[in-house]
Amino acid sequence: MFDNAAIDVSLGLIFIFLLYSLLATILQEMVSQWFSLRSRNLMKTIRGMLDGKKPRNSFSLVNIPWDCLTGLSNYFSPMSEGSLMKAFYDDPLINTLGENRSNARPSYISPKDFSQVMINILRGDGFDHTANPMNRIRENLLNGKIGSVVLSPSTIRYLKQLYINSNGDINKFQIFLETWFNSVMDRSIGWYKKQTQKILFCLGFALAVIFNIDSIAISKILINSKTAREQLADFATSRASVYGGMVQGNVASQQEENASKNDTITQKEIRALKTDAKAVNLILGLGYDFDKVKNNCKQGILDTLAKFSKAKKLDQRTIQMLQKQSSGCSIIVQLPQESKPMIRFLGWLITGLAISLGAAFWFDLLNKFINLRAAGVKEAASNPPSNPSEEIISRVG
């Protein structure tokens, strides 16, 4: 059973991961739109189907350079002349599905459209509609080419198998084409999710480095500072409903055709998340300006000291003790934040990996810990210190 301190520490870390996961997800969606990643992922899938170019094993060290070069080549020149893929994308039905001139290729194609275009291509130009289309398809498959379009051997083998299974029935052949497309699209969704997770990790690590979101340092602060963990846990609880709306209506889940609307939503979400990030930084003292954090800590003690001195509630000995305490404030602050470079790098790496899990994962976990915190028993308020100096020191710690 967790105690309240452990729950608050966990809740604070989860909230920070959720905050930056949402920000990374929005940035990832913007990158996806800028580089047309959805349409390019669809093209990659159709290239494997129609041109017989299957993705290589990217986990092999030998294949990594080749994959990079191939990916770069496909980015600038995705279709070769005389290929079945180019004939497919040049078909008027597919060519008109693009969003605009700068992004002319569609990010989604229905199975029915796929099968219809494939039949149109396979029966060839100048097809006489009084003839049996399956005879023309069979003839073209045996020739291995349709006009200037050359079919790859693997694609011919598969299409011949579909032709045999259809028993010369054009309707069955169309259904088999749609089933083929659906089965490959299911794998394509998995490829896109893996690609998205890699992008999220890169963005998450970049955010961790830029804003110094060191998970190890944050854990130390939350463990050592009761005030910080309670403030962050309360802040997380108050923002849970807002983040729930962001997760459910996330830009990444919106249809690409609503891109103009999503741009407005994205700007609103980014502003809200940046405001929350500043609030979190104030609570934890994150960032790189260590001197500013130390000075704020020191000034906080001196301001409180001045207030009690003016009220004449402290004797001279206590004043001297607190002045000495203020000079040691920087030591308290620097330990978690000014960690060794390798430890800080490890903290950034943990943050990047956590962000790559996605906002939905952290939001579900956040709700569970909020419920766990609400069901727990609040710690009894401690008796007020008899000595004012003890009160001041407890506020700093």
Side-chain angles (χ1 to χ4, degrees):
M1 187 68 182
F2 294 110
D3 59 13
N4 287 346
I7 293 174
D8 285 349
V9 170
S10 302
L11 191 57
L13 278 171
I14 292 169
F15 176 73
I16 291 172
F17 293 150
L18 172 59
L19 169 64
Y20 285 96
S21 291
L22 282 168
L23 185 56
T25 301
I26 293 173
L27 294 175
Q28 182 274 327
E29 180 62 21
M30 294 170 67
V31 170
S32 178
Q33 291 183 13
W34 290 338
F35 295 98
S36 305
L37 295 185
R38 286 190 180 90
S39 63
R40 292 185 183 278
N41 183 70
L42 180 60
M43 290 179 67
K44 173 184 173 182
T45 305
I46 293 179
R47 183 184 299 110
M49 296 174 67
L50 304 186
D51 290 352
K53 296 178 181 178
K54 303 298 182 183
R56 295 164 64 90
N57 183 9
S58 296
F59 292 99
S60 172
L61 293 177
V62 178
N63 290 336
I64 288 177
W66 175 258
D67 290 338
C68 293
L69 292 174
T70 303
L72 192 63
S73 174
N74 290 335
Y75 183 87
F76 290 103
S77 181
M79 296 177 286
S80 57
E81 292 293 334
S83 65
L84 181 56
M85 179 182 176
K86 182 166 178 55
F88 178 84
Y89 272 93
D90 286 345
D91 187 275
L93 179 58
I94 302 300
N95 197 31
T96 56
L97 293 177
E99 181 183 348
N100 50 47
R101 293 185 63 184
S102 63
N103 184 19
R105 300 182 184 99
S107 59
Y108 172 78
I109 297 174
S110 69
K112 185 177 180 180
D113 289 341
F114 173 81
S115 62
Q116 185 59 57
V117 172
M118 284 297 297
I119 289 174
N120 293 342
I121 295 173
L122 291 174
R123 67 191 182 188
D125 295 332
F127 169 69
D128 184 0
H129 290 275
T130 61
N132 187 345
M134 293 299 285
N135 291 337
R136 288 291 301 272
I137 291 173
R138 178 178 178 275
E139 180 182 345
N140 290 328
L141 289 177
L142 290 175
N143 292 334
K145 61 183 301 185
I146 308 163
S148 62
V149 177
V150 179
L151 305 179
S152 71
S154 60
T155 303
I156 291 175
R157 285 197 301 270
Y158 194 83
L159 290 175
K160 281 182 177 179
Q161 189 62 48
L162 296 184
Y163 177 87
I164 294 171
N165 293 341
S166 65
N167 294 321
D169 188 331
I170 188 66
N171 293 323
K172 288 183 178 179
F173 186 70
Q174 184 171 0
I175 292 174
F176 286 139
L177 286 172
E178 292 176 7
T179 303
W180 178 34
F181 182 77
N182 283 327
S183 64
V184 177
M185 284 302 108
D186 289 340
R187 294 196 296 273
S188 176
I189 293 173
W191 297 338
Y192 185 75
K193 287 182 178 178
K194 289 181 180 179
Q195 182 187 54
T196 299
Q197 196 167 32
K198 291 177 182 177
I199 295 174
L200 280 177
F201 169 74
C202 294
L203 290 173
F205 184 76
L207 289 173
V209 173
I210 292 171
F211 298 104
N212 194 25
I213 312 302
D214 180 351
S215 297
I216 297 175
I218 292 171
S219 301
K220 290 180 179 179
I221 295 172
L222 294 177
I223 291 172
N224 295 324
S225 175
K226 177 182 177 182
T227 303
R229 64 173 175 260
E230 287 183 349
Q231 287 180 352
L232 191 57
D234 291 339
F235 186 61
T237 304
S238 66
R239 298 294 290 168
S241 60
V242 177
Y243 285 12
M246 289 185 183
V247 172
Q248 294 172 5
N250 202 285
V251 177
S253 66
Q254 300 290 334
Q255 295 296 327
E256 192 166 342
E257 54 265 28
N258 294 330
S260 60
K261 180 181 178 182
N262 288 344
D263 288 341
T264 303
I265 297 174
T266 299
Q267 295 301 322
K268 288 178 60 178
E269 290 182 346
I270 288 178
R271 284 196 296 270
L273 293 172
K274 286 174 66 177
T275 302
D276 289 352
K278 289 181 180 179
V280 170
N281 288 351
L282 288 175
I283 294 173
L284 298 177
L286 301 179
Y288 288 99
D289 195 352
F290 302 125
D291 290 334
K292 182 178 178 181
V293 175
K294 296 175 195 176
N295 291 335
N296 288 343
C297 176
K298 179 178 179 180
Q299 192 61 44
I301 291 182
L302 295 178
D303 289 345
T304 307
L305 176 61
K307 182 180 71 173
F308 277 91
S309 298
K310 187 176 181 180
K312 297 182 180 180
K313 293 184 178 180
L314 300 177
D315 55 31
Q316 190 62 33
R317 182 179 177 182
T318 304
I319 292 175
Q320 292 176 353
M321 184 268 294
L322 288 175
Q323 287 174 339
K324 183 178 179 180
Q325 178 69 21
S326 69
S327 64
C329 182
S330 59
I331 299 175
I332 299 172
V333 176
Q334 76 179 19
L335 287 177
Q337 282 300 90
E338 297 184 26
S339 53
K340 295 180 180 179
M342 287 303 299
I343 300 298
R344 191 185 303 172
F345 177 83
L346 181 60
W348 292 339
L349 189 63
I350 293 172
T351 302
L353 290 171
I355 290 175
S356 69
L357 295 176
F361 172 84
W362 292 113
F363 179 71
D364 291 340
L365 205 57
L366 180 75
N367 279 331
K368 292 178 181 178
F369 272 86
I370 287 177
N371 294 333
L372 190 62
R373 186 177 190 245
V377 180
K378 292 287 185 181
E379 295 180 358
S382 59
N383 294 326
S386 56
N387 192 325
S389 62
E390 296 179 8
E391 179 181 358
I392 299 172
I393 297 172
S394 65
R395 288 183 183 182
V396 177

